[in-house]
Amino acid sequence: MKVTAKSWFQDTSSQMYSSSSQKEEDTKKTELLQTKDQDTDRLLDSLKALSTSPTKKENSNFKMKSSKPDDSVGQLASMLARAETRIDVQQVASRAIRSLTNLKMALAASEGSDAKKIAQMIKRMEKLIKRIQKKLQHLSKEEQLENRRKRAEKDRKEQLAKEIQKELNTRRKKRRRDERNYANKEMAEDAKNSSAELTADMMNAISPGSAAGISPSMNAGSAAFDTSGISADMAMAESVSIDISV
């Protein structure tokens, strides 16, 4: 094959252009990953600052209608377990931050048993925020493994690509199982607390003073009525038993 100066120059220019294009593409990918990491770092810093900030109880005329936040810990934990992208996790983080802020405001204006309940909810919400931080770190690591696998496939390193994919699958399986268990635990805790509050409300609705307002004669009359009713029921039951035996 005859190589001329012109063809050599064209081949060299083509290689240089291809190399330059590949470098630009790699640079853009690196910058994109760095931007994502910076966004994640900023979110992590804000979450840490919020979860570790001290709660001060001050005198205030502010009154909360309910100690419950807009989103319960169990609900947010369930959403977190289903989230598979950074954007989804950041949305859960935003809702958790808003709920935690409302709880801390409510705690500042509460006292007694209400303050104790809210303090417990704050601890659970802060634990959830730590789980959010942890998941963002896991997703970042999984994304790095995914990029390594793609580079290995591009370089035709099939064995290395399989090993990376195996590690990635193991990490994801363990993370998802742990997130499901945590979500189920927090949802059960929410259900237990709701049941306890419902029982307490029902007990408060049954006021002991309502029976005290009835006169003794009325109580006696009602008791006699109840007794006659029971006697009638017993007589009916006996007649039914007799008919069955026949």
Side-chain angles (χ1 to χ4, degrees), residues 19 33 45 53 82 103 108 136 144 152 154 161 177 209 211 218 244:
S19 176
L33 288 174
D45 291 340
S53 61
R82 296 193 302 267
L103 284 171
L136 285 172
Q144 293 174 8
K154 187 175 182 180
R177 181 176 63 250
M218 293 179 64
I244 292 175

Side-chain angles (χ1 to χ4, degrees), residues 148-160:
R148 283 181 55 198
R149 182 188 63 79
K150 290 180 180 180
R151 286 197 299 268
E153 288 180 347
K154 187 175 182 180
D155 295 339
R156 296 183 179 180
K157 297 178 181 179
E158 297 181 359
Q159 184 61 32
L160 178 60

Side-chain angles (χ1 to χ4, degrees), residues 72-75 77-78 124 180-196:
S72 68
V73 177
Q75 179 183 355
S78 180
R124 291 178 60 205
R180 286 195 302 268
N181 292 338
Y182 172 70
N184 291 334
K185 177 183 175 183
E186 292 301 325
M187 290 177 69
E189 183 70 18
D190 284 344
K192 184 178 74 173
N193 293 338
S194 297
S195 178

Side-chain angles (χ1 to χ4, degrees), residues 71-111:
D71 297 305
S72 68
V73 177
Q75 179 183 355
L76 292 174
S78 180
M79 293 175 58
L80 181 63
R82 296 193 302 267
E84 286 297 331
T85 64
R86 293 190 187 189
I87 294 178
D88 293 337
V89 176
Q90 288 172 358
Q91 290 177 351
V92 178
S94 177
R95 297 176 71 159
I97 290 172
R98 182 168 61 249
S99 296
L100 181 59
T101 302
N102 292 338
L103 284 171
K104 290 189 174 183
M105 291 173 63
L107 180 62
S110 302
E111 58 184 12

